């Protein structure tokens, strides 16, 4: 099964979605929550989350999956424990595997320090939400007052069975 991002591509080497796989380098800001929408075409169980990084620092990182709430991130459904990334990181979901129906979800993440390098690309229809948020466990519901930008997508994915 694949999560298919709005402007993403499918990659036979990754179980899940890669929202973009073009090798453009960007940095992710520390102490911000990020969320990017994905669509699941059929029911599956969420087991892992991951991303492909270009540069590594000692930042702590967390990832999760939220429900959709009227076109924005909603309730946290599954999440990883805090981890220090390696170049290609895939982390098991700390909560039990999550049974998902076909539909819209939001991949969410936070890291503790600036200048964490990752691959991204320009994606004309992908919307990313972001909000300043002190690094901690992911919130159980997405906080109000987040900003959004369109045109930047990130090389993150979820593993499904």
């Amino acid at each position: 099964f694949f999560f298919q991002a709005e402007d993403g591509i499918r990659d036979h080497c990754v179980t899940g979605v890669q929202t973009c796989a073009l090798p453009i380098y960007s940095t992710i800001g520390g102490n911000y929550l990020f969320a990017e929408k994905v669509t699941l075409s059929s029911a599956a169980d969420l087991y892992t989350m991951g991303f492909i990084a270009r540069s590594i620092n000692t930042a702590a990182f967390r990832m999760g999956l939220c429900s959709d709430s009227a076109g924005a991130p909603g309730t946290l459904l599954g999440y990883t424990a805090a981890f220090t990334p390696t170049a290609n990181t895939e982390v098991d979901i700390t909560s039990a595997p999550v049974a998902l129906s076909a539909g819209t979800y939001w991949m969410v993440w936070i890291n503790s320090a600036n200048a964490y390098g990752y691959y991204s690309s320009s994606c004309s229809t992908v919307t990313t939400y972001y909000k300043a948020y002190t690094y901690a466990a992911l919130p159980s519901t997405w906080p109000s007052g987040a900003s959004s930008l369109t045109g930047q997508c990130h090389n993150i994915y979820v593993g499904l069975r």
Side-chain angles (χ1 to χ4, degrees):
F1 291 99
F2 286 88
F3 258 132
Q4 182 177 350
E6 293 171 326
D7 251 8
I9 63 169
R10 294 181 183 199
D11 183 337
H12 73 280
C13 298
V14 178
T15 302
V17 67
Q18 285 187 278
T19 60
C20 289
L22 301 174
I24 299 170
Y25 178 69
S26 298
T27 57
I28 236 175
N31 295 307
Y32 275 87
L33 281 172
F34 293 91
E36 196 165 294
K37 184 170 34 173
V38 293
T39 301
L40 180 61
S41 58
S42 59
D45 292 332
L46 170 67
Y47 282 86
T48 62
M49 297 192 76
F51 62 99
I52 299 173
R54 179 168 183 242
S55 67
I56 306 300
N57 66 22
T58 58
F61 207 88
R62 295 174 188 263
M63 300 178 79
L65 188 73
C66 286
S67 63
D68 181 73
S69 178
T75 303
L76 184 65
L77 302 173
Y79 53 89
T80 67
F83 61 93
T84 300
T86 58
N88 297 310
T89 300
E90 186 168 312
V91 180
D92 288 338
I93 296 299
T94 301
S95 55
V98 179
L100 302 171
S101 302
T104 301
Y105 297 91
W106 292 83
M107 293 182 289
V108 299
W109 67 97
I110 187 171
N111 71 306
S112 65
N114 289 331
Y116 186 83
Y118 65 99
Y119 291 105
S120 68
S121 86
S122 176
C123 300
S124 62
T125 63
V126 173
T127 299
T128 300
Y129 281 87
Y130 62 96
K131 179 164 180 63
Y133 192 85
T134 302
Y135 180 82
L138 294 169
S140 60
T141 57
W142 186 262
S144 61
S147 300
S148 66
L149 63 89
T150 300
Q152 182 80 27
C153 54
H154 307 89
N155 199 351
I156 57 177
Y157 62 91
V158 296
L160 305 171
R161 292 186 194 159

